[in-house]
Amino acid sequence: MSGLPTGTSKKVQYILQNASKVSYPEAWPGTTVCYSTNLEHVDSWKRLTDTFYTQGKLTWEYTHHKNESVFFSYFPPYSNARHLTLISQCAACPTARVESLGQSLEGREIECISTGEGPLKCWIIHRQHPGETMAEHYAEGLLTRLLGIEMPHTEHEENNQPEGQVQDQVQRLLSLYTFYIVPCMCPDGGVRGHLRTNAAGANLNREWATVKDDYEAPSLERSPEVWHTLRKMQQTGVDVFVDVHGDEELPFNFISGAEHVPNWSKRLETLHGAFTAAYTRANSDMQPHIGYPPMESPEQALPYMNVATNQVSNRFQCLSVTLEMPFKDCLSNPDPERGWTPARSRRLGASVLDPLEYIAPHLRTPEEDLKLPTEDAYIAPTDNYQEPEVAPGEFQMLKKRFFSDVLEIHKKNPTL
């Protein structure tokens, strides 16, 4: 802020008068605005804990100092410049292969980084919803661990394992799997600043199959990002699939599955339980109890066969999950000053290698031979958790929703 006398400060109150008009206002209660005075450093962001939402308005305060610039955000961004740096770092790695699966509607490349020589094919995709930037921070953590690359302007990552153990684990995984990693599925939406859609206004996580007679998906005209990715998956096959997202409302990390798709079975349920349990053991920021309630019947699942997790699971008869991280704080390990952060997203991405190693011997085991410990048992999550009281007339938490349904919840066009 300019014009302030030296040594003085000024508190300013900011009010978003039309906050209730966004696509998902249910998420505002409990939200804390992120702020940074150094956009270049991705770990500089903190939270304004006095943020509040009432009467359809989001309000926060910030104390400005002389000649200081400050930036506010819903969640710390992942810039296109940083995305390109990540891709170039991967391209320079001798153990990685970078290819373009195709181009977006605006001509941007849909980059895929592959590594490993193992027989199992692991696909991990990020940022189908481009505003869920924690997903690409997660991808950065995963790729840093797998490839040994270093990204600029990040905090030093604490690792409880000795470096030799980390490298041994990576080598084991690269012999078990061939990885296909897409850091950003929706580059156009990321550059445009969209929360959930590509340049055509398509929600990519509703473009993985045709579920309505009058709407074909995926298509080169509306969703080339999914069309090209699915074509490559058909060429490689898929043994395990992880689709990485962020959830605006639930203050937890969690795993959502493909329950009751046509090919759902006790085998897939067992694998889902074991993967989630192993992830929870590997990283205390993951937990199995809070999340999207699973589908209760095949009839309920059929309209959602255009969701990536469901379509991939059914098409390849494989373990297929959606991983969600919070926009808010993570109540498993709360940190009100910073909330969920890019650094914790990176650590969660790096630690996915633990459940992937644990589950590898079982991925294609026949159902009758699949025996896992009781601590790996499948747990059906619920989104019913104890929240702070909400003032009368304010938005209440939705008690039954699937796959981060935003527009569907509000009875709007389900294809968007």
Side-chain angles (χ1 to χ4, degrees):
M1 175 174 282
S2 61
L4 288 176
T6 301
T8 63
S9 60
K10 182 177 182 180
K11 180 178 286 189
V12 176
Q13 184 181 75
Y14 294 86
I15 302 174
L16 292 185
Q17 298 277 359
N18 61 347
S20 64
K21 303 301 182 183
V22 300
S23 62
Y24 197 36
E26 286 84 355
W28 286 132
T31 291
T32 49
V33 169
C34 301
Y35 75 96
S36 173
T37 58
N38 183 356
L39 274 185
E40 194 173 53
H41 199 299
V42 297
D43 294 322
S44 65
W45 293 84
K46 295 184 179 181
R47 303 273 179 151
L48 294 167
T49 57
D50 60 353
T51 306
F52 65 93
Y53 178 72
T54 185
Q55 297 181 343
K57 302 174 183 178
L58 188 73
T59 302
W60 69 94
E61 293 182 340
Y62 182 79
T63 300
H64 290 268
H65 301 278
K66 182 179 175 63
N67 293 334
E68 175 193 66
S69 295
V70 65
F71 304 87
F72 301 116
S73 182
Y74 189 30
F75 189 84
Y78 200 99
S79 69
N80 189 54
R82 190 169 186 87
H83 167 80
L84 296 176
T85 298
L86 177 62
I87 298 302
S88 66
Q89 292 273 28
C90 293
C93 177
T95 61
R97 303 171 293 277
V98 177
E99 66 175 303
S100 174
L101 302 180
Q103 292 189 329
S104 67
L105 288 170
E106 294 185 329
R108 296 183 176 91
E109 306 300 336
I110 306 157
E111 297 103 343
C112 178
I113 295 97
S114 58
T115 187
E117 303 293 340
L120 295 168
K121 305 303 188 291
C122 176
W123 276 83
I124 307 179
I125 68 171
H126 311 76
R127 284 184 83 181
Q128 284 207 82
H129 296 149
E132 296 167 7
T133 52
M134 62 284 290
E136 195 158 1
H137 290 292
Y138 179 107
E140 184 178 306
L142 168 60
L143 289 164
T144 298
R145 176 66 62 86
L146 266 182
L147 303 180
I149 62 173
E150 292 186 9
M151 289 290 288
H153 307 298
T154 57
E155 294 176 350
H156 174 69
E157 298 293 341
E158 294 292 336
N159 196 327
N160 295 326
Q161 294 177 284
E163 184 63 26
Q165 289 184 18
V166 172
Q167 291 308 313
D168 289 347
Q169 182 192 43
V170 168
Q171 292 308 309
R172 290 194 303 271
L173 282 154
L174 295 179
S175 68
L176 289 168
Y177 290 100
T178 301
F179 289 91
Y180 298 90
I181 299 167
V182 183
C184 184
M185 282 285 293
C186 193
D188 294 349
V191 171
R192 285 166 164 253
H194 291 183
L195 178 62
R196 294 176 65 84
T197 61
N198 71 357
N203 174 354
L204 296 184
N205 206 25
R206 298 298 183 274
E207 294 285 322
W208 288 76
T210 298
V211 296
K212 292 191 173 184
D213 292 339
D214 60 348
Y215 186 84
E216 180 182 355
S219 70
L220 289 172
E221 294 73 28
R222 185 167 172 82
S223 50
E225 301 91 344
V226 174
W227 192 94
H228 290 298
T229 301
L230 197 52
R231 180 182 62 170
K232 182 69 173 181
M233 286 179 168
Q234 289 290 157
Q235 295 171 4
T236 66
V238 183
D239 295 294
V240 58
F241 172 72
V242 183
D243 182 15
V244 183
H245 286 260
D247 184 82
E248 295 88 348
E249 187 177 5
L250 293 175
F252 294 93
N253 292 288
F254 59 93
I255 303 291
S256 180
E259 290 87 343
H260 292 295
V261 299
N263 280 338
W264 182 252
S265 62
K266 184 64 177 178
R267 169 182 156 267
L268 292 178
E269 180 183 284
T270 301
L271 291 174
H272 179 103
F275 180 84
T276 304
Y279 214 145
T280 302
R281 293 190 291 267
N283 190 315
S284 64
D285 281 333
M286 182 57 70
Q287 55 77 48
H289 300 286
I290 305 299
Y292 301 146
M295 297 294 176
E296 297 173 351
S297 68
E299 293 75 22
Q300 198 175 54
L302 280 176
Y304 292 93
M305 292 307 296
N306 56 357
V307 172
T309 291
N310 289 346
Q311 184 57 216
V312 172
S313 177
N314 196 64
R315 186 178 294 225
F316 298 98
Q317 299 187 45
C318 69
L319 173 63
S320 178
V321 300
T322 303
L323 186 150
E324 297 278 356
M325 292 174 282
F327 276 80
K328 300 178 181 179
D329 198 359
C330 175
L331 296 190
S332 302
N333 294 296
D335 179 3
E337 182 182 358
R338 290 185 179 270
W340 188 247
T341 63
R344 291 171 76 180
S345 302
R346 295 195 302 272
R347 288 194 288 271
L348 195 66
S351 59
V352 74
L353 298 186
D354 293 271
L356 286 173
E357 182 176 16
Y358 181 76
I359 205 71
H362 311 292
L363 286 172
R364 292 301 178 184
T365 300
E367 184 171 312
E368 60 271 18
D369 298 327
L370 189 57
K371 309 296 182 185
L372 288 164
T374 55
E375 58 263 29
D376 291 344
Y378 170 82
I379 297 172
T382 174
D383 63 357
N384 188 6
Y385 72 99
Q386 188 65 40
E387 280 192 310
E389 290 188 7
V390 181
E394 295 297 325
F395 285 99
Q396 298 289 339
M397 182 175 173
L398 297 164
K399 297 301 179 188
K400 199 67 175 177
R401 64 193 180 98
F402 309 109
F403 309 112
S404 189
D405 281 342
V406 172
L407 299 179
E408 290 92 330
I409 287 171
H410 300 291
K411 309 298 183 184
K412 297 180 182 179
N413 185 346
T415 65
L416 296 181

